Amino acid sequence: MPTLILVRHGRSTANTEGLLAGWTPGVALDERGAAQAAALPGRLAELPISEVVASPLQRCQETIRPLLDARPGLTAHTDERIGECHYGDWSGRKLAELKDEPLMEVVQAHPSAAAFPGGESMRAMQTRAAEAVREWNARVERDHGADAVYLMCSHGDIIKSLVADALGLHLDLFQRISVEPCSITVIRYTRLRPFLVRLGDTGDFASLAPREEPPAGDATVGGGAGAP
């Protein structure tokens, strides 16, 4: 079965403003995010990518644009099933405000029981994304062969949930996984089991350096902003 390259979108204006973007329209890459996207073709230059699938949201579409420009023969598709979690009434709100919501404790410790008001549950998010991957695995293998490599550009919580699915982890453990903006995660699927080959690879270790304010113990819903 194929090898899947999962790319989280580059850093967005919502990341730097500390907002939970969700499906809020008009959330673009910021200057750093645009530079991350521009570097993506070089990082992937040695890989024979057969297809590109992306979330319909602007920040993902902007992330894959340099790769598509560099490879004009590459076919691109949009799939809403790998779009961001529907955070409902939480969308567009400051993460600093949301940390005091009672639901946030559930999102952190028991995400399989978390459902966003006016939105979807985290369980439903993982299910739709995993179904999309399995359907695309079959389609890519049919069209390009069992050794094909393809790419999906998606969002932090989606990618974390797909990693949990690949590792056989309960969704309640997925907040232990971290994927930074424009990081590359690779899962090689086989008939009997997936293999996690790369996780959150940016090639940049700046985000590991000590900061003036130590990182909080909670996971950032939607994914963090990466290195300053």
Side-chain angles (χ1 to χ4, degrees):
M1 296 177 70
T3 295
L4 171 60
I5 302 169
L6 288 161
V7 177
R8 185 183 166 200
H9 61 77
R11 196 174 76 177
S12 72
T13 53
N15 293 144
T16 47
E17 292 169 8
L19 299 175
L20 184 62
W23 284 71
T24 304
V27 177
L29 299 182
D30 68 5
E31 186 175 350
R32 180 179 176 85
Q36 291 170 332
L40 196 57
R43 293 168 65 194
L44 300 172
E46 297 183 20
L47 296 178
I49 298 170
S50 58
E51 307 265 1
V52 171
V53 187
S55 156
L57 294 171
Q58 181 177 339
R59 51 199 184 273
C60 286
Q61 296 291 324
E62 290 180 353
T63 299
I64 62 169
R65 177 48 51 196
L67 177 63
L68 297 177
D69 289 344
R71 303 193 190 194
L74 193 56
T75 303
H77 311 269
T78 296
D79 194 325
E80 290 196 357
R81 294 173 298 174
I82 61 166
E84 182 61 283
C85 184
H86 290 277
Y87 297 116
D89 298 345
W90 280 27
S91 299
R93 291 181 59 187
K94 287 272 189 185
L95 288 164
E97 294 175 1
L98 292 170
K99 70 179 182 180
D100 296 325
E101 294 277 356
L103 178 60
M104 182 59 86
E105 188 176 11
V106 181
V107 170
Q108 294 292 328
H110 190 19
S112 66
F116 296 98
E120 71 179 332
S121 68
M122 302 199 92
R123 233 176 23 260
M125 172 199 75
Q126 183 186 44
T127 298
R128 64 172 163 86
E131 286 178 350
V133 166
R134 282 162 175 75
E135 287 182 20
W136 278 103
N137 281 348
R139 177 172 171 173
V140 169
E141 181 173 3
R142 180 197 68 202
D143 294 345
H144 303 281
D147 295 327
V149 177
Y150 75 108
L151 182 147
M152 280 186 169
C153 183
S154 187
H155 306 265
D157 281 350
I158 294 288
I159 294 172
K160 288 162 55 177
S161 75
L162 289 171
V163 170
D165 175 75
L167 292 176
L169 292 178
H170 196 283
L171 185 61
D172 286 347
L173 300 179
F174 101 126
Q175 297 291 27
R176 302 183 184 195
I177 300 166
S178 176
V179 288
E180 294 188 5
C182 225
S183 62
I184 293 174
T185 294
V186 181
I187 301 171
R188 185 173 73 248
Y189 288 87
T190 72
R191 188 173 65 87
L192 297 181
R193 64 183 62 84
F195 292 89
L196 180 64
V197 181
R198 293 284 189 281
L199 176 61
D201 188 344
T202 64
D204 177 4
F205 295 101
S207 64
L208 303 180
R211 303 187 188 183
E212 291 183 10
E213 292 186 15
D218 286 343
T220 303
V221 181

